[in-house]
Amino acid sequence: MQFSRFSLFATFTACLLPAMAQEQPAAPGDAAAPEMQQIVDVQGTRDPDLRPYRTMLKGLDAYADHQRLAPDAPLRFMLIPATPKGKLDGATLHLSAENLSIPVPLAPDGGFTLARNKVAYDANADLVSNKKRDTLRWRADIHTPGLPANVRRLGDLRLECEIRWAVEQDQLSFVRRNLFRMAGGPCHSSLIHVPYPVPRSLAAVQARSGERTMEIRVTDDRQRYVPPLHDLSWDDDTLLTLTYADDGKLAGAAPAAPLKGALRQ
């Protein structure tokens, strides 16, 4: 049976709840522009800091499968506070199972890497922190070397999306997971918008590929932007320049992103 575009929209709006987490809750009144009114633009708030190691390994698999999107970028993950006032002070990570505890080194900025470990896999270990549940979140962190801190490469963002979807999708119900797949998946569908958060208020985001430029949608709370992940007319080497409101210059740090859009956790 085939679904019309209208019936697919109706199914989404009737059935979908957020499936993949984003770093910040939505701001009141954060509506899409009129031309985006029919696009699924779902946001999430739940992103527990405990993950089965076997589930996280799906992110490593996705990185290997889609590395062509960012061939020069290493795979890194980030541990971040769940709220703006949260702190990473004293945070630790371990692969934990019965009679097993393997430390995962955590950088001062919250960055960490995961290696394949047969002992942890066979023990069905969890990736856990020493902080209270729901106080920390994770995300993929893909950055091609050599770019300014306020510039993001579109292929890097696409690869982050693929990694996140690989890890998150099995937490969805069968119906919702397959609705997302019917739409093409969060990283490929024009029906799904995936916003990426920043630590400071945005003034604007501009995409540039050669002589072509485009203003990128920034959410009403100025804390997230929505790159054109699905639009292949913008190639992977497209650069997004983030201008922050508090300095008027192209400066600041733009950490890798979360997912809003057709997914949530």
Side-chain angles (χ1 to χ4, degrees):
M1 179 182 296
Q2 294 184 339
F3 286 83
S4 69
R5 187 177 179 86
F6 176 80
S7 64
L8 184 58
F9 277 133
T11 305
F12 272 129
T13 54
C15 299
L16 290 186
L17 290 176
M20 295 184 70
Q22 64 179 47
E23 313 304 344
Q24 300 181 18
D30 182 15
E35 66 273 16
M36 297 178 182
Q37 288 296 320
Q38 287 188 309
I39 292 175
V40 176
D41 200 29
V42 185
Q43 305 169 36
T45 56
R46 185 178 64 85
D47 194 355
D49 58 321
L50 181 150
R51 299 281 174 184
Y53 176 62
R54 294 179 181 179
T55 299
M56 293 300 297
L57 288 180
K58 294 179 181 180
L60 275 66
D61 293 338
Y63 172 78
D65 291 342
H66 300 282
Q67 194 173 1
R68 66 186 182 281
L69 296 171
D72 298 322
L75 173 58
R76 191 170 185 252
F77 295 97
M78 293 290 293
L79 193 67
I80 59 173
T83 63
K85 294 182 179 180
K87 302 292 184 183
L88 283 179
D89 297 348
T92 62
L93 280 179
H94 286 78
L95 293 174
S96 179
E98 186 175 359
N99 300 321
L100 178 72
S101 181
I102 302 174
V104 177
L106 193 64
D109 67 349
F112 65 96
T113 60
L114 285 178
R116 296 185 186 274
N117 185 303
K118 187 176 186 305
V119 173
Y121 183 91
D122 290 344
N124 197 18
D126 288 315
L127 178 66
V128 300
S129 77
N130 62 333
K131 298 290 188 177
K132 290 182 179 179
R133 187 176 176 87
D134 295 330
T135 62
L136 298 175
R137 297 175 177 171
W138 75 276
R139 65 168 179 252
D141 186 47
I142 304 295
H143 286 266
T144 294
L147 294 177
N150 69 306
V151 175
R152 297 303 313 270
R153 182 178 171 277
L154 187 56
D156 295 4
L157 299 179
R158 285 171 171 157
L159 183 51
E160 288 181 4
C161 184
E162 296 287 0
I163 293 168
R164 185 144 192 161
W165 172 234
V167 173
E168 302 287 344
Q169 61 179 296
D170 287 343
Q171 293 190 344
L172 303 179
S173 70
F174 175 84
V175 172
R176 290 173 184 153
R177 180 169 63 250
N178 283 285
L179 283 172
F180 289 139
R181 289 173 177 169
M182 286 169 51
C187 311
H188 304 279
S189 175
S190 62
L191 302 179
I192 300 168
H193 280 175
V194 180
Y196 284 64
V198 292
R200 296 153 52 198
S201 182
L202 283 166
V205 179
Q206 184 184 74
R208 177 178 291 275
S209 179
E211 296 301 313
R212 183 186 180 198
T213 62
M214 179 176 68
E215 295 302 312
I216 298 299
R217 177 191 163 203
V218 175
T219 58
D220 285 355
D221 62 5
R222 317 305 295 179
Q223 297 298 311
R224 291 158 290 144
Y225 63 98
V226 184
L229 300 180
H230 71 281
D231 188 349
L232 298 183
S233 71
W234 293 94
D235 64 31
D236 293 332
D237 288 324
T238 297
L239 297 181
L240 279 64
T241 299
L242 284 65
T243 303
Y244 291 95
D246 60 0
D247 59 13
K249 299 181 296 183
L250 303 182
L259 295 170
K260 142 192 170 180
L263 292 223
R264 159 208 156 183
Q265 310 194 160

